[in-house]
Amino acid sequence: MQDFEIAVVGGGLAGSIAALALARGGRKVALVAPAAEKTDERTTALMDQSIRLLERLGLWERIAPLAAPLSVMQIIDATSRLLRAPTAQFRSADVGLYAFGYNIPNRVLLETLQAAVAAEANITRLDTSVTVLDHSPERATLSLANGETIAAAFVIGADGRNSKVRESIGIGARRWSYRQSAVVLNFSHTLPHGNVSTEFHTETGPFTQVPLPGLRSSLVWVVKPEEAEQLMALPIEELSREVEARMQSMLGKVTVEPGAQTWPLSSLMADRFGKDRMALVGEAAHAFPPIGAQGLNLSLRDVITLSELLTIAADRPIPTDAGDRFNRRRRADIMSRTFGVDLLNRSLLSDFLPTQMVRAAGLHILNSAPPFRNLLMREGLEPGGGFRAIFDTLRKEVRR
């Protein structure tokens, strides 16, 4: 039986980055995941804190040429309701950054991670799945589909919404769904995007354009499931005209690229995020609609916390309560982001007039109060970042 310090179950973006971060921190890691069955044509917007993690892992230099900076993010109310919110614009320069983050094709991220994992001496990649997971206070034993058995002092579940790891340690999860589907595609356009991402709020959900390098952008278009089916059935030329019309021709003529996909929208939050010698990251712990570029960024904050807990003393055994410590540290961030995204999504769908009034008033306040807007931007990039900036400013003023 092979013995490891850490077993990461799941080889998606969150699992691969977790394995790499912990291996670079000095731990002996097994990455247990079958090979991906299909190419992921989606893109992911990673914010500043996540980009800094990729830099520390030595990955960003290869990814950067294929990513597009997000220097301006704007929200436009494209509903036809009586109470419409004003357009809100957020500029990275207002918080001292060239870009809030970068939009990266998932394929580029995965290929870069796979190469890094293969070259990392502290990682053993096992292209199989877990069939049985037994755990005791001392270690966990993982029986694999290929007939092998491995042992680990700590297990990380990065195995998605139907997590085998979460189930094996008896952690429940709350699930809820929406009558929404996301149409995800890439498109080219004739006018430059200027590194501006635009999120149109509609009665069915957000229609979000995010820059890609050159005259290209990615799109997440949230609609009712039946409308998603109709859109996917359209010829490329007609779908391109629909996208251009929704974009109000802001980027000129639009040409949708082949490979559009649809994804049903739902949310999930585990009852706990860690226990004893186990922890959950990514969609094994939390999942929600693609609003505000929060999904993978939240997962990478899981990874950052795990790395701090498990590699600060890499020459010592992993504590038996590391999973419980992880749960305490991640709980507030995960719960606030999950319920915040859920609330925003439901506010877009609501025809209840007071809800529309609150939403419109909130965006109006953001427009008319730059300090509050900057605070919100910093909090969106990194929890606690906005309040730290206020305290730093106060300290500087006191020293003067």
Side-chain angles (χ1 to χ4, degrees), residues 32-45:
V32 184
E37 296 181 359
K38 63 178 181 178
T39 303
D40 189 348
E41 297 297 336
R42 294 174 295 174
T43 66
T44 297

Side-chain angles (χ1 to χ4, degrees), residues 118-136:
E120 176 54 54
N122 272 350
I123 296 178
T124 299
R125 174 69 193 250
L126 300 168
D127 294 324
T128 185
S129 57
V130 175
T131 55
V132 180
L133 195 160
D134 293 316
H135 54 93
S136 69

Side-chain angles (χ1 to χ4, degrees), residues 283-303:
E283 292 197 343
H286 46 76
F288 43 72
I291 295 175
Q294 293 297 315
L296 186 59
N297 291 285
L298 186 63
S299 300
L300 296 195
R301 292 203 292 277
D302 296 340
V303 172

Side-chain angles (χ1 to χ4, degrees), residues 49 375 379 382-393 395:
Q49 187 183 26
L375 172 65
E379 286 300 306
E382 181 179 352
F387 295 104
R388 280 197 299 274
I390 291 173
F391 293 142
D392 288 344
T393 301
R395 276 199 298 268

